[in-house]
């Protein structure tokens, strides 16, 4: 099916896609941020965020193969809708998890006790990751099937912008809920169920697309990385390196999210009676910047993948991360709370400039009969990086505690992950804009 000939802004499917992924990202980030904030105890100096991130990341790795298979074998629109139905079920289980939490106490003296208390909600977090692992390849892979190639940079810019706007609201709401609702967390849980239902309704606005590869057979290799996918990456080194850079990006992003929660609650806002609320606003400031940077990147690209925009964005990421790592007298940081808010907003803008061209390339480059599996494999690799960086965060946390360093040094460790991209990733713009250079792979 050829992309629609109507204008992007008049296309009902575009607005249905945009609304659905906005609502889904809001629910995901609200729930995940609630768990991450609960996993940081200022009083007992406990931080088990890395465990929560590992639990959330694992299903993305374990189920990426089958998710990619389904996105090729079935219509991506059907996978899109059914994954939203699954979200309703997961959010209902989340309500049950919050009921359980109401009956226990979070004032634990060690990490093991805190982990046991949060166990039911961590189980729901795992299921949320499983649901999202099927949603991702369909969400990204359907865009080139719905829209003109020249519309993809703008479409991706809008998708990334609205995704991070939803992160702003989700993360910001999480801290407010913890500080304001006390032990009545089941109430916001029910709201999450209603949002999941609404998101399922907006998914129905997306027009149907035929399966990209209806004759595709399920092979054992599809549960990991299919031979056709491995062959595609061997032949297309530009795509392979883009996937590697994407892994570093998402791994670094996981480190930054956990670092914000730790620096906010244990350094900038130590002893503050609404530390959860103000920490969540810090996390939201990055999302504000990403939304701005994503739209700017889409328009600066002018229908092409602009490598210069990507490079400027990556340099900005490293610069602002190092700036955020410097301690000082005001709020125990050189910039103070509000200076950090501004710096994190600029960090987010640089992130948007960097990531939109990279995502557009990975999305547009593969041929149609393998696109879903390429995107699923890239997603699996991203989540492996997130899982490894969650483990790495535990190591950074240990080093900082042993040496009695400021928590803001976590940002310096994160910057080191992006430094190789600045130094060594210099793709050719002509090659990046060459569409689908690899012939269809035999099945």
């Amino acid at each position: 099916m050829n992309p629609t000939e109507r204008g992007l802004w008049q296309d009902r499917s575009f607005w249905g896609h945009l609304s659905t992924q906005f609502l889904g990202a809001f629910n995901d980030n609200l729930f995940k941020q609630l768990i991450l904030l609960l996993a940081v105890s200022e009083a007992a100096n406990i931080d088990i965020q890395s465990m929560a991130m590992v639990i959330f990341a694992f299903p993305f790795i374990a189920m990426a193969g089958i998710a990619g298979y389904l996105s090729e074998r079935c219509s991506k629109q059907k996978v899109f809708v059914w994954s939203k139905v699954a979200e309703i079920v997961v959010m209902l289980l989340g309500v049950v998890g919050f009921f359980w939490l109401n009956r226990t106490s979070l004032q634990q003296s060690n990490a093991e006790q805190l982990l046991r208390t949060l166990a039911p909600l961590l189980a729901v977090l795992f299921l949320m990751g499983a649901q999202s692992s099927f949603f991702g390849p369909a969400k990204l892979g359907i865009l080139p099937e719905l829209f003109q190639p020249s519309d993809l940079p703008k479409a991706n810019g809008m998708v990334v912008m609205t995704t991070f706007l939803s992160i702003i609201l989700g993360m910001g709401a999480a801290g407010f809920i913890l500080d304001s609702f006390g032990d009545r967390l089941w109430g916001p849980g029910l709201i999450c169920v209603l949002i999941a239902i609404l998101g399922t309704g907006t998914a129905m606005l997306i027009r149907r697309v035929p399966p990209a590869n209806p004759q595709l057979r399920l092979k054992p290799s599809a549960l990991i990385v299919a031979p056709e996918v491995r062959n595609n990456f061997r032949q297309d080194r530009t795509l392979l390196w883009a996937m590697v850079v994407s892994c570093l990006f998402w791994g670094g992003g996981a480190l930054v999210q956990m670092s914000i929660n730790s620096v906010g609650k244990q350094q900038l806002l130590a002893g503050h009676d609404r530390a959860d609320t103000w920490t969540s606003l810090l996390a939201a400031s990055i999302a504000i910047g990403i939304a701005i940077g994503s739209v700017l990147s889409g328009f600066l690209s002018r229908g092409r993948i602009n490598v210069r925009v990507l490079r400027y964005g990556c340099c900005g990421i490293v610069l602002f991360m190092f700036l955020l790592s410097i301690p000082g007298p005001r709020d125990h940081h050189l910039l103070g709370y509000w200076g950090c808010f501004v710096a994190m907003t600029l960090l987010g803008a640089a992130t948007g400039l960097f990531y939109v061209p990279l995502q557009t390339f990975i999305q547009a480059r593969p041929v149609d009969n393998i696109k879903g599996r390429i995107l699923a494999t890239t997603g699996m690799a991203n989540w492996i990086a997130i899982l490894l960086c969650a483990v790495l965060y535990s190591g950074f946390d240990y080093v900082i505690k042993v040496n009695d360093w400021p928590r803001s040094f976590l940002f310096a460790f994160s910057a080191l992950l992006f430094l190789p991209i600045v130094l060594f990733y210099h793709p050719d713009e002509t090659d990046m804009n060459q569409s689908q250079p690899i012939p269809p792979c035999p099945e």
Side-chain angles (χ1 to χ4, degrees):
M1 176 179 170
N2 292 326
T4 179
E5 295 294 331
R6 74 186 67 163
L8 183 67
W9 311 115
Q10 288 77 43
D11 193 333
R12 188 181 72 170
S13 292
F14 171 70
W15 295 109
H17 184 284
L18 212 60
S19 301
T20 303
Q21 64 90 31
F22 175 89
L23 293 167
F26 175 87
N27 259 0
D28 284 358
N29 284 280
L30 170 60
F31 189 84
K32 184 175 69 172
Q33 180 69 355
L34 281 170
I35 302 302
L36 291 178
L37 287 172
L38 291 170
V40 179
S41 172
E42 176 193 342
N45 197 25
I46 302 171
D47 186 344
I48 61 167
Q49 289 184 97
S50 59
M51 178 64 70
M53 287 299 294
V54 167
I55 290 171
F56 182 67
F58 182 75
F60 285 91
I61 299 167
M63 300 178 186
I66 188 68
Y69 165 79
L70 285 176
S71 70
E72 297 292 345
R73 177 66 176 78
C74 308
S75 167
K76 292 180 180 64
Q77 188 266 352
K78 285 186 177 181
V79 177
F80 203 83
V81 171
W82 280 106
S83 63
K84 296 300 296 181
V85 173
E87 182 185 340
I88 298 173
V89 178
V90 172
M91 290 303 172
L92 283 170
L93 292 173
V95 174
V96 176
F98 283 123
F99 267 117
W100 167 265
L101 187 63
N102 291 162
R103 301 176 59 185
T104 62
S105 171
L106 276 173
Q107 301 303 317
Q108 309 297 331
S109 60
N110 59 57
E112 183 179 349
Q113 290 179 347
L114 183 59
L115 182 61
R116 195 181 308 120
T117 301
L118 291 176
L121 287 172
L122 291 173
V124 177
L125 191 66
F126 174 88
L127 294 175
M128 192 177 77
Q131 175 265 328
S132 297
S133 69
F134 287 92
F135 183 68
K139 177 185 76 172
L140 296 176
I142 199 173
L143 288 176
E145 298 178 16
L146 291 173
F147 309 123
Q148 299 272 13
S150 60
D151 284 331
L152 277 180
K154 287 184 180 179
N156 273 297
M158 289 296 294
V159 166
V160 174
M161 182 199 73
T162 53
T163 295
F164 285 99
L165 281 175
S166 65
I167 292 173
I168 294 169
L169 297 176
M171 287 186 169
F176 178 79
I177 286 169
L178 284 182
D179 284 332
S180 302
F181 284 78
D183 61 356
R184 301 187 303 275
L185 290 176
W186 51 267
L190 288 176
I191 293 173
C192 288
V193 174
L194 294 176
I195 292 171
I197 293 172
L198 182 60
T200 304
T202 57
M204 301 290 186
L205 296 174
I206 302 170
R207 64 179 167 276
R208 292 207 174 171
V209 294
N213 197 348
Q215 305 304 319
L216 182 64
R217 292 176 297 168
L218 181 60
K219 306 172 186 176
S221 61
L223 300 177
I224 308 175
V225 180
E228 298 85 4
V229 173
R230 294 197 298 270
N231 178 62
N232 194 282
F233 278 121
R234 274 196 300 267
Q235 294 184 59
D236 191 350
R237 293 305 177 94
T238 306
L239 181 60
L240 176 63
W241 280 111
M243 183 184 72
V244 172
V245 170
S246 177
C247 291
L248 291 173
F249 171 82
W250 283 106
L255 285 176
V256 169
Q257 183 178 8
M258 291 184 285
S259 299
I260 290 171
N261 291 333
S262 179
V263 172
K265 292 187 69 172
Q266 297 180 329
Q267 182 175 336
L268 288 171
L269 298 159
H272 198 286
D273 59 353
R274 296 189 69 86
D276 287 319
T277 296
W278 293 103
T279 297
S280 289
L281 289 176
L282 275 180
S285 71
I286 288 190
I288 293 171
I290 291 176
I292 296 170
S294 298
V295 174
L296 185 61
S297 179
F299 281 101
L300 289 176
S301 296
R302 300 183 181 277
R304 290 175 56 83
I305 296 166
N306 192 321
V307 172
R308 184 177 298 177
V309 171
L310 183 151
R311 289 176 183 168
Y312 288 159
C314 192
C315 291
I317 289 172
V318 174
L319 173 65
F320 290 115
M321 278 190 183
F322 276 122
L323 186 61
L324 285 164
S325 71
I326 305 173
R330 186 180 180 185
D331 296 330
H332 310 288
H333 195 282
L334 176 68
L335 303 177
Y337 177 87
W338 290 110
C340 286
F341 189 95
V342 173
M344 287 182 186
T345 303
L346 294 173
L347 170 62
T351 300
L353 289 174
F354 169 77
Y355 189 63
V356 169
L358 186 69
Q359 176 177 279
T360 302
F361 171 73
I362 294 174
Q363 189 182 90
R365 181 80 154 199
V367 291
D368 290 339
N369 81 320
I370 201 172
K371 189 184 298 289
R373 284 171 288 168
I374 290 285
L375 293 174
T377 301
T378 302
M380 178 178 67
N382 289 340
W383 283 102
I384 290 174
I386 290 172
L387 189 149
L388 291 175
C389 284
V391 176
L392 198 60
Y393 177 85
S394 295
F396 294 159
D397 179 63
Y398 175 79
V399 170
I400 285 174
K401 285 180 179 177
V402 167
N403 292 281
D404 197 26
W405 289 342
R407 302 298 296 176
S408 57
F409 279 16
L410 287 166
F411 287 111
F413 289 132
S414 301
L416 292 176
L417 203 63
F418 282 89
L419 196 56
I421 303 177
V422 173
L423 296 177
F424 303 113
Y425 185 59
H426 304 125
D428 180 79
E429 186 162 318
T430 301
D431 186 27
M432 292 280 281
N433 284 281
Q434 182 181 352
S435 178
Q436 302 183 347
I438 306 300
C441 301
E443 304 296 341

